[in-house]
Amino acid sequence: MKKLFSTVFLMICCCVFSKYANAQCDAGEIKVSIQVTTDAYGYEGYWELVPAGNDCGEATIFEGGNVTEIGCTGAGDQDATTPYGYGDNLTITEGHWCLVEDASYDIIYVEDWGDGGFTF
């Protein structure tokens, strides 16, 4: 009897928590992640994922990199420092987000020095 109770309890837990464990998207959405590869100065970049056509800081879905010192307005300021943002020469996976299928999205990239930067 005790084994039967344990088995039934386990099955109930699996059913109740499976949606949270799988993090499934709703109908009409697709699970998306982005790989960000930094250059030798990973702290010099900032980026945002936004719906297509939006400006930096407008309806931002995700922001990454050096939010503190660069943000939307820090392009070319050449004042970013290493305590913020990503590390150097890394590949970082950001996400997962559930995005609407067949919709368009933009990655807005802001580079503090204008000398290359991230790849996505």
Side-chain angles (χ1 to χ4, degrees), residues 57-82:
E58 183 179 293
T60 303
I61 297 166
F62 182 82
E63 61 183 357
N66 193 336
V67 177
T68 305
E69 294 180 322
I70 299 173
C72 292
T73 60
D77 288 350
Q78 299 184 355
D79 61 1
T81 58
T82 57

Side-chain angles (χ1 to χ4, degrees), residues 97-116:
W97 306 280
C98 289
L99 301 179
V100 176
E101 284 189 86
D102 298 323
S104 296
Y105 299 88
D106 291 332
I107 293 175
I108 298 173
Y109 178 65
V110 182
E111 166 67 35
D112 189 48
W113 280 77
D115 62 351

